[in-house]
Amino acid sequence: MKVLQKTPTGIRGLDEITAGGLPMGRPTLICGAAGSGKTLFSMEFLVHGAKKYNEPGVFVAFEEKSEELAINVASLGYDLNQLQEDKLIKLDHVHIVRSEIEETGEYNLDGLFIRLGYAIDSLGAKRVVLDTIESLFSGLTNQAILRAELRRLFEWLKEKKVTAIITGERGAETLTRQGLEEYVSDCVILLDHRVENKISTRILRIVKYRGSVHGTNEYPFLIDEEGISVLPVTSLRLDHQVSSLRVSSGIPALDKMLGGEGFFKGGSILVSGTAGTGKTSIAGSFINEACKNGKRCIYFAFEESPQQIVRNMHSINVNLQEHLDTGLLQFSASRPTLNGLEMHLLSITKMVDKFKPDIIVLDPITNLITVGTASEVKSLLTRLIDYLQAAQITVMFTALAYNDNKTEQTDEGISSLVDAWLLVRDIELNGERNRGLYVMKSRGMKHSNQVREFVISDEGLKLVEVFLGPEGVLTGSARETQLLLEKTSVALRDHAVTRKDREIERKRLVLESKISSLKEEFESLQDELNKSYIEDDLKKNIMEDNRRQMTQKRDE
Amino acid sequence: MSEALQHYGGEHEEEDEHYVLRLFITGASMNSIRAVINLKEICEKYIKDRYTLEIVDVHQEKWRAEKEQLIALPLLIKISPVPERRLIGDMSDTEKVLRGLGIPQN
């Protein structure tokens, strides 16, 4: 079984959409309006062919002069003159002006054939671009001849076994003004340049690709200083690798709430809350912790400038500057209105591919809604999450909740997409506002259901256990007061206990002294009693003696 | 014959001008053969002895295709008198050929 062979274009992303590139040895039609990037597209095809795949190419320009072309693509860093010298690329400018030509009967385009054939053979070219061949129609009048000759040209290109790109201007009702799609039927790619809400988006679509599977969606593409990149960011599958590794949030108490270890690597985290609840601070300390562990991070800021963020983070003892200096952290700050949504997605994924971060932060996604509808934003974030998950990159979004309503649904409706959702909420009590942090959800891990008070101090972010009193949850100074009250009562109780102890001691002493005096009394009494006993004995003895003496005397 | 030509070109200044023509053809294709025959016929009829005709077979000199900006063939280039003019086709439309070459008709 013979499968259609393909020629890689080398254009970022396009080879993925086309599953390998353009059909090898066949012509491909690229059509689009003026300024849609056709020439650049075909030029990249040739340059990449020459540089990456060792396939020399011929560029036949019907509109631009060779020198102009060389200058135009020099801005992308391609040195066409050098490539021409190296015999890797041949530029040929076909100059045709109707007024200079008189048609005097039957003719054909053999001149073009010979010219092209000569160029192909002298280079051993494998790639050919005809940009824009429709110009022939304005130079020559005999349509019947032209059409027959074009058909012959495309057949001839196939015989030459070159992979060709033919560009065509978009017509009013047809893909090209002259209906070139009739002749080039193997592969047709449409480039478009749309402006919606004053924001432009470039779109690429594969209209047809005979004998091959291909993505049929509209793919946005970027033209920047690196040329064209098409990024097929789709969310067709849900079969990403998952990791059970954890990433610390940078706030120890928050990690504790998240099963003790933090977020899952490659997960998506949403931090939502009303204005001024410290979403950016959470993101900042998350990044800070990651960078300290040698991880690479990108911070996409849609609201503040990098300098502003660095300065503000400094006030809570988070030093992002040092991570910028070590190159672990990169900022990308742009107003959402700079690009269309698709362009944002493209530039994000492009930067991610280049920098290869472990963690990215988008702060805040709420602002994206200014350039798209809610459903578009959701679709963008879905694809972004899918893309990041596949690359095992942890992402933290912050989102502004406009109203402190009870539904707690973010306006982007993406809370169902993310793996973990932290909600920071104002708790207003006793004339002051305090921040309460909840873990609304955290897939695949045990997480705390408790509200924690979220304190932003000079030392950084802290989570404090809220006080659960008889009147409910207490925060801020109310919590402090309650703590003080408790302290006082403890002191008072301690005090009372010691006083009682002392009294007992005193009583004991009193009793003991009483006991000893009674004892002494008893002893003296005993002495007294003993004394009379002895006297009595003495009296008795003396009297006995006396009587005996008396008796003796009477007897004498 | 030459008198007749002079008569034709009488009111023009370039009556004595020499025509330098270059015809690009592709081998022995039908169009090429017809172009050569038709052109020679016209030249002999209208500018006899006042022209130089170079016939180039592009197949033999392919490198010239780019240099001479060849696309449609057969191609006749009137190099002089100036201005340079380009005529394509098999030269079967005599009127157009004459107009292209700047040769007045009778």
Side-chain angles (χ1 to χ4, degrees):
Chain A
M1 198 172 68
K2 222 177 162 187
V3 195
L4 179 70
Q5 283 192 299
K6 299 191 177 174
T7 300
T9 58
I11 295 172
R12 238 178 117 230
L14 184 67
D15 295 338
E16 279 97 79
I17 306 173
T18 53
L22 303 180
M24 185 183 281
R26 297 188 190 185
T28 293
L29 177 66
I30 310 275
C31 44
S36 58
K38 302 185 293 291
T39 303
L40 186 65
F41 188 105
S42 20
M43 188 53 89
E44 275 210 43
F45 170 69
L46 282 198
V47 173
H48 291 314
K51 285 186 150 178
K52 286 189 199 164
Y53 307 107
N54 198 25
E55 293 192 353
V58 176
F59 193 101
V60 185
F62 290 84
E63 289 178 335
E64 287 177 274
K65 285 195 173 150
S66 309
E67 308 84 66
E68 290 170 352
L69 259 179
I71 292 169
N72 292 353
V73 297
S75 60
L76 300 173
Y78 303 141
D79 187 351
L80 281 188
N81 294 329
Q82 186 61 45
L83 286 167
Q84 289 203 82
E85 271 177 38
D86 297 344
K87 299 261 176 247
L88 285 170
I89 282 188
K90 162 102 188 122
L91 292 182
D92 185 0
H93 174 231
V94 171
H95 176 77
I96 189 160
V97 180
R98 176 180 285 185
S99 61
E100 293 175 5
I101 294 171
E102 195 81 54
E103 294 180 27
T104 67
E106 287 274 309
Y107 59 88
N108 59 27
L109 297 182
D110 268 345
L112 182 64
F113 280 75
I114 291 169
R115 191 166 166 177
L116 191 52
Y118 179 68
I120 292 172
D121 294 341
S122 63
L123 253 68
K126 294 274 183 289
R127 300 177 179 214
V128 168
V129 172
L130 304 175
D131 177 51
T132 307
I133 201 159
E134 284 177 318
S135 303
L136 288 178
F137 284 88
S138 62
L140 302 168
T141 48
N142 195 327
Q143 297 257 331
I145 290 180
L146 272 179
R147 290 186 182 279
E149 285 296 282
L150 284 185
R151 199 179 289 276
R152 187 163 73 95
L153 177 66
F154 299 146
E155 284 306 316
W156 176 79
L157 285 171
K158 278 191 199 177
E159 278 167 34
K160 278 283 197 186
K161 296 200 186 333
V162 291
T163 310
I165 286 185
I166 290 113
T167 66
E169 285 265 317
R170 185 133 198 220
E173 280 172 20
T174 48
L175 285 172
T176 57
R177 277 191 201 149
Q178 305 297 340
L180 289 180
E181 59 271 24
E182 268 180 63
Y183 312 115
V184 186
S185 47
D186 291 300
C187 181
V188 179
I189 295 174
L190 180 68
L191 304 181
D192 202 357
H193 193 187
R194 269 182 225 158
V195 179
E196 275 170 25
N197 294 331
K198 299 177 191 160
I199 288 159
S200 81
T201 310
R202 292 179 189 276
I203 301 274
L204 176 147
R205 185 162 67 93
I206 298 167
V207 180
K208 167 169 172 180
Y209 199 147
R210 194 175 275 176
S212 168
V213 288
H214 62 87
T216 50
N217 295 345
E218 289 192 326
Y219 300 97
F221 70 95
L222 264 186
I223 297 180
D224 58 14
E225 67 284 353
E226 288 164 26
I228 293 180
S229 32
V230 190
L231 286 186
V233 188
T234 51
S235 52
L236 302 172
R237 291 179 298 185
L238 279 172
D239 54 0
H240 314 298
Q241 288 266 315
V242 291
S243 170
S244 51
L245 292 174
R246 298 293 192 94
V247 185
S248 167
S249 67
I251 308 168
L254 180 57
D255 289 346
K256 211 181 260 173
M257 286 174 86
L258 297 161
E261 290 172 279
F263 308 109
F264 277 121
K265 178 178 157 60
S268 43
I269 304 133
L270 173 68
V271 181
S272 71
T274 46
T277 43
K279 301 179 293 293
T280 302
S281 304
I282 293 179
S285 44
F286 181 45
I287 288 249
N288 184 42
E289 179 70 19
C291 285
K292 274 186 190 164
N293 295 330
K295 302 244 173 67
R296 297 169 73 82
C297 307
I298 308 181
Y299 197 119
F300 293 94
F302 297 120
E303 217 169 48
E304 294 171 274
S305 73
Q307 294 80 1
Q308 224 176 332
I309 293 170
V310 169
R311 182 200 65 196
N312 296 350
M313 286 299 121
H314 209 77
S315 74
I316 57 163
N317 199 27
V318 170
N319 189 354
L320 294 181
Q321 186 61 45
E322 63 179 302
H323 305 312
L324 280 173
D325 295 342
T326 55
L328 285 172
L329 174 63
Q330 201 174 45
F331 269 103
S332 166
S334 59
R335 284 279 171 202
T337 44
L338 177 72
N339 286 321
L341 273 183
E342 295 297 340
M343 287 294 142
H344 274 297
L345 183 58
L346 266 183
S347 52
I348 290 171
T349 46
K350 210 175 152 195
M351 267 192 85
V352 165
D353 278 356
K354 214 167 166 189
F355 191 71
K356 305 215 175 305
D358 301 286
I359 286 169
I360 71 167
V361 165
L362 271 76
D363 178 37
I365 52 170
T366 322
N367 278 14
L368 292 174
I369 209 130
T370 52
V371 284
T373 64
S375 71
E376 280 168 345
V377 175
K378 186 171 179 177
S379 134
L380 169 121
L381 294 171
T382 313
R383 284 176 292 153
L384 181 62
I385 289 173
D386 278 357
Y387 166 80
L388 293 171
Q389 242 163 23
Q392 281 292 297
I393 296 166
T394 318
V395 57
M396 181 180 273
F397 306 105
T398 69
L400 178 71
Y402 285 111
N403 41 1
D404 208 56
N405 56 358
K406 286 279 178 281
T407 57
E408 287 155 353
Q409 186 69 18
T410 54
D411 290 299
E412 291 72 33
I414 66 148
S415 45
S416 62
L417 298 172
V418 295
D419 296 320
W421 180 13
L422 307 180
L423 178 68
V424 194
R425 224 169 146 197
D426 277 330
I427 300 171
E428 207 175 312
L429 203 75
N430 294 338
E432 65 174 26
R433 305 192 109 183
N434 291 296
R435 303 175 178 95
L437 187 134
Y438 310 61
V439 178
M440 298 295 286
K441 81 173 198 184
S442 186
R443 284 182 185 148
M445 66 174 83
K446 196 174 72 180
H447 58 273
S448 167
N449 63 350
Q450 295 296 300
V451 184
R452 291 282 185 280
E453 190 184 345
F454 175 50
V455 183
I456 303 179
S457 67
D458 294 346
E459 288 94 52
L461 302 181
K462 262 194 311 191
L463 293 183
V464 193
E465 301 230 3
V466 290
F467 190 86
L468 282 169
E471 290 122 52
V473 169
L474 297 179
T475 57
S477 50
R479 173 174 50 81
E480 298 283 341
T481 319
Q482 190 66 36
L483 279 177
L484 265 181
L485 276 177
E486 289 215 334
K487 225 176 186 172
T488 327
S489 66
V490 164
L492 282 174
R493 202 179 61 230
D494 283 356
H495 185 64
V497 166
T498 48
R499 208 180 53 203
K500 276 201 177 109
D501 278 353
R502 278 205 302 277
E503 206 171 299
I504 287 169
E505 183 67 15
R506 266 200 309 277
K507 275 238 167 81
R508 193 171 59 83
L509 284 175
V510 170
L511 276 175
E512 270 174 4
S513 65
K514 265 188 185 162
I515 287 167
S516 63
S517 74
L518 278 174
K519 228 180 190 166
E520 272 166 31
E521 211 176 310
F522 170 73
E523 267 170 18
S524 59
L525 205 69
Q526 202 177 21
D527 277 356
E528 200 77 18
L529 286 174
N530 281 351
K531 203 169 95 189
S532 56
Y533 265 135
I534 294 167
E535 277 179 8
D536 280 355
D537 268 354
L538 275 171
K539 260 185 198 159
K540 199 179 155 196
N541 284 343
I542 294 169
M543 278 172 68
E544 288 266 325
D545 274 348
N546 284 352
R547 203 172 339 137
R548 210 178 323 130
Q549 280 176 5
M550 294 274 279
T551 338
Q552 255 178 5
K553 275 188 182 158
R554 274 179 191 200
D555 290 342
E556 283 174 14
Chain B
M1 195 60 178
S2 71
E3 274 183 38
L5 270 171
Q6 274 176 1
H7 170 72
Y8 284 125
E11 64 239 61
H12 292 271
E13 287 178 342
E14 66 263 28
E15 59 188 74
D16 281 310
E17 268 189 291
H18 193 78
Y19 284 83
V20 179
L21 307 175
R22 190 177 288 151
L23 179 67
F24 292 93
I25 55 161
T26 50
S29 70
M30 285 305 291
N31 282 342
S32 302
I33 293 167
R34 274 205 302 273
V36 172
I37 293 171
N38 288 335
L39 183 63
K40 279 190 170 164
E41 201 174 291
I42 291 168
C43 289
E44 284 301 314
K45 189 173 174 191
Y46 295 96
I47 48 173
K48 190 173 163 58
D49 299 333
R50 290 201 285 132
Y51 71 94
T52 318
L53 175 62
E54 182 195 359
I55 297 176
V56 179
D57 181 359
V58 191
H59 276 310
Q60 305 300 319
E61 295 174 69
K62 290 182 176 174
W63 57 271
R64 291 184 80 156
E66 186 191 347
K67 190 168 164 280
E68 305 281 355
Q69 279 292 346
L70 305 187
I71 300 156
L73 290 179
L75 168 73
L76 172 66
I77 303 180
K78 182 193 73 166
I79 296 160
S80 82
V82 284
E84 187 184 291
R85 290 287 293 170
R86 290 176 163 240
L87 292 82
I88 55 170
D90 61 7
M91 310 292 148
S92 56
D93 190 334
T94 311
E95 202 176 307
K96 279 192 171 174
V97 176
L98 288 175
R99 196 169 66 213
L101 293 176
I103 298 169
Q105 302 167 45
N106 46 351

